[in-house]
């Protein structure tokens, strides 16, 4: 079914929230629904709209998959607590790392995360909760790119002809599917979320595993998590759509303490973009790049090389995986 886009410039966010909340209430009826909150702007907006529609009949979970950023689960739970929304953290770290073991192909990684998330962790939660509906923050860009075969976004099923009811045992409601990121930000702000959420830069569903080239082992995730924290601290003052640190699998020769060190490489990407469909690398000042490189090579053990990506999207994509 064709999806009618609602452009951010045409969007009345309060009206949108009212309409979508009413639709959710009607669809779910007297039952309950569940959703997973990752803390990104999409799942945060969905949580608020769903909470408005269903109150406590929406059970919101934060799935700790072990591939989130530093301190993320508790920070997000605390933000939503202030909004009166109870969020339960589910520790599923071991399950995700087991599923990712030995996988190097980007699409297979996405698939492993999808299957673990929907079939194993979430499927079980849905069964326990007796919810028949899952609220999800799929947006139009996810659908476009998946249908075009560019990148399989982990949350797009119906558009690929996969029936989630048959495959996973529940219905999926996607209230944001007519919007792009700029529209979702307006909805999140109108729903009362703080700016740290509604102006948050995007972060992919496959989380830090999308920032590791090759196998996403616990050790590599630990390294890229540290690099991500430093990168986000150093680039916090920069006006950009999204920035990230990527851990490469190829090693390169470096020098440490006067000795040869065959070490790791971190690639930095920083993007200017409106809606993630096209993007240009941000013209970062050299001293910002140099400061970042110095911190990464001194604070992240084993990193001997830091590069900055200067390719546009297309032909690049924003994530490296
Ligand atoms: P790409 O790499 O496709 O990224 O140019 C465009 C935007 O989408 C985010 N992204 C993802 N988000 N699941 C997600 O939820 C994914 O698999 C995924 N891959 C990319 C990316 O961070 C960027 O903002």
């Amino acid at each position: 079914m064709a999806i009618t886009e609602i452009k951010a410039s045409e969007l009345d966010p309060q009206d949108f929230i009212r309409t979508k909340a009413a639709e959710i209430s009607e669809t779910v009826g007297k039952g309950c629904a569940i959703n997973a909150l990752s803390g990104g702007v999409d799942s945060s907006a969905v949580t608020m709209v769903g909470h408005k529609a269903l109150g406590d009949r929406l059970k919101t979970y934060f799935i700790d998959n072990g591939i989130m950023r530093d301190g993320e689960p508790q920070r997000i739970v605390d933000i939503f607590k202030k909004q009166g929304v109870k969020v339960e953290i589910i520790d599923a770290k071991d399950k995700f790392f087991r599923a990712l073991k030995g996988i190097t192909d980007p699409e297979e990684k996405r698939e492993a995360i999808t299957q673990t998330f929907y079939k194993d962790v979430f499927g079980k939660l849905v069964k326990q909760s007796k919810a028949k509906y899952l609220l999800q923050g799929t947006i139009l860009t996810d659908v476009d790119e998946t249908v075009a075969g560019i990148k399989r976004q982990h949350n797009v099923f119906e558009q690929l002809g996969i029936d989630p009811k048959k495959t996973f045992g529940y219905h999926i409601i996607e209230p944001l599917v007519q919007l792009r990121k700029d529209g979702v930000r307006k909805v999140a702000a109108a729903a009362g979320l703080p700016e740290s959420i509604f102006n948050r830069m995007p972060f992919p569903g496959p989380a830090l595993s999308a920032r590791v080239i090759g196998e996403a082992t616990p050790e590599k995730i630990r390294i890229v998590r540290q690099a991500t924290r430093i990168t986000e601290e150093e680039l916090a003052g920069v006006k950009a759509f999204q920035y990230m640190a990527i851990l490469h699998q190829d090693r390169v020769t470096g020098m440490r303490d006067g000795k040869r060190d065959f070490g790791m490489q971190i690639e930095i990407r920083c993007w200017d973009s409106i809606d993630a469909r096209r993007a240009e690398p941000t013209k970062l000042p050299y001293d910002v790049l140099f400061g970042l490189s110095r911190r990464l090579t001194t604070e992240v053990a084993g990193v001997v090389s830091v590069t900055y990506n200067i390719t546009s999207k297309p032909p690049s994509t924003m994530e490296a995986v």
Side-chain angles (χ1 to χ4, degrees):
M1 199 176 63
I3 301 167
T4 313
E5 178 172 354
I6 303 174
K7 292 205 159 47
S9 55
E10 295 157 4
L11 175 72
D12 174 343
Q14 292 295 359
D15 185 53
F16 181 89
I17 293 170
R18 266 192 304 276
T19 309
K20 292 297 162 187
E23 282 173 21
I24 294 166
S25 296
E26 167 135 13
T27 308
V28 176
K30 289 195 165 44
C32 58
I34 83 171
N35 79 315
L37 171 67
S38 70
V41 66
D42 305 342
S43 69
S44 295
V46 160
T47 301
M48 293 305 285
V49 175
H51 188 74
K52 187 176 165 63
L54 304 172
D56 288 348
R57 286 184 299 122
L58 175 67
K59 303 266 175 274
T60 300
Y61 295 98
F62 188 104
I63 307 297
D64 186 356
N65 53 16
I67 49 179
M68 295 286 177
R69 285 171 289 187
D70 229 6
E72 191 78 338
Q74 198 54 51
R75 215 171 58 77
I76 299 302
V77 168
D78 291 346
I79 288 175
F80 276 83
K81 196 172 174 188
K82 287 200 186 113
Q83 299 291 325
V85 180
K86 203 170 137 245
V87 181
E88 192 181 329
I89 298 178
I90 304 293
D91 182 353
K93 297 192 220 35
D94 290 348
K95 285 184 175 166
F96 280 89
F97 280 121
R98 240 179 282 135
L100 285 166
K101 201 168 165 47
I103 299 180
T104 53
D105 178 80
E107 293 303 291
E108 284 179 25
K109 266 195 221 174
R110 286 192 158 79
E111 187 61 18
I113 291 169
T114 302
Q115 293 297 331
T116 308
F117 184 88
Y118 286 98
K119 268 198 168 153
D120 190 350
V121 182
F122 226 59
K124 285 183 184 148
L125 284 174
V126 177
K127 276 190 200 121
Q128 281 164 18
S129 72
K130 309 239 185 304
K132 293 271 179 295
Y133 295 90
L134 169 60
L135 256 62
Q136 190 166 258
T138 317
I139 67 170
L140 195 49
T141 314
D142 299 338
V143 177
D144 284 349
E145 296 205 338
T146 301
V147 173
I150 296 168
K151 206 171 273 196
R152 163 77 193 278
Q153 304 288 343
H154 74 290
N155 50 4
V156 176
F157 295 103
E158 235 160 75
Q159 294 76 14
L160 290 173
I162 299 169
D163 179 349
K165 180 84 180 97
K166 273 202 198 120
T167 315
F168 303 116
Y170 43 76
H171 298 281
I172 295 185
I173 304 175
E174 297 173 322
L176 308 179
V177 78
Q178 292 168 275
L179 306 179
R180 296 197 188 270
K181 199 65 96 182
D182 43 356
V184 181
R185 290 192 198 286
K186 282 176 84 169
V187 169
L193 286 166
E195 189 172 0
S196 62
I197 295 284
F198 72 72
N199 254 346
R200 198 166 203 209
M201 68 182 171
F203 188 68
L208 294 175
S209 81
R211 308 273 167 87
V212 171
I213 315 265
E215 186 180 350
T217 61
E219 176 60 8
K220 287 189 171 180
I221 291 291
R222 193 189 60 72
I223 294 164
V224 84
R225 178 179 288 127
Q226 211 183 343
T228 300
R229 181 179 48 74
I230 293 168
T231 304
E232 292 189 355
E233 282 169 12
E234 289 297 305
L235 301 186
V238 166
K239 233 177 133 289
F241 180 86
Q242 191 174 16
Y243 37 83
M244 63 193 72
I246 294 150
L247 176 62
H248 280 254
Q249 59 184 341
D250 286 347
R251 297 214 164 213
V252 289
T253 298
M255 275 165 50
R256 206 178 286 279
D257 304 327
K259 287 206 192 89
R260 179 179 188 273
D261 183 5
F262 199 46
M264 290 178 288
Q265 311 184 62
I266 295 284
E267 175 190 343
I268 302 299
R269 294 183 176 198
C270 181
W271 298 107
D272 292 338
S273 180
I274 304 287
D275 56 17
R277 281 184 292 180
R278 305 182 71 83
E280 296 291 329
T282 307
K283 293 193 179 77
L284 289 176
Y286 188 75
D287 57 345
V288 170
L289 283 168
F290 194 65
L292 181 53
S293 149
R294 196 160 37 205
R295 278 196 69 190
L296 289 167
T297 47
T298 51
E299 293 177 36
V300 189
V303 171
V304 297
S305 167
V306 177
T307 58
Y308 185 54
N309 182 295
I310 50 166
T311 318
S312 301
K313 172 184 179 177
S316 179
T317 56
M318 295 172 82
E319 303 288 346
V321 159

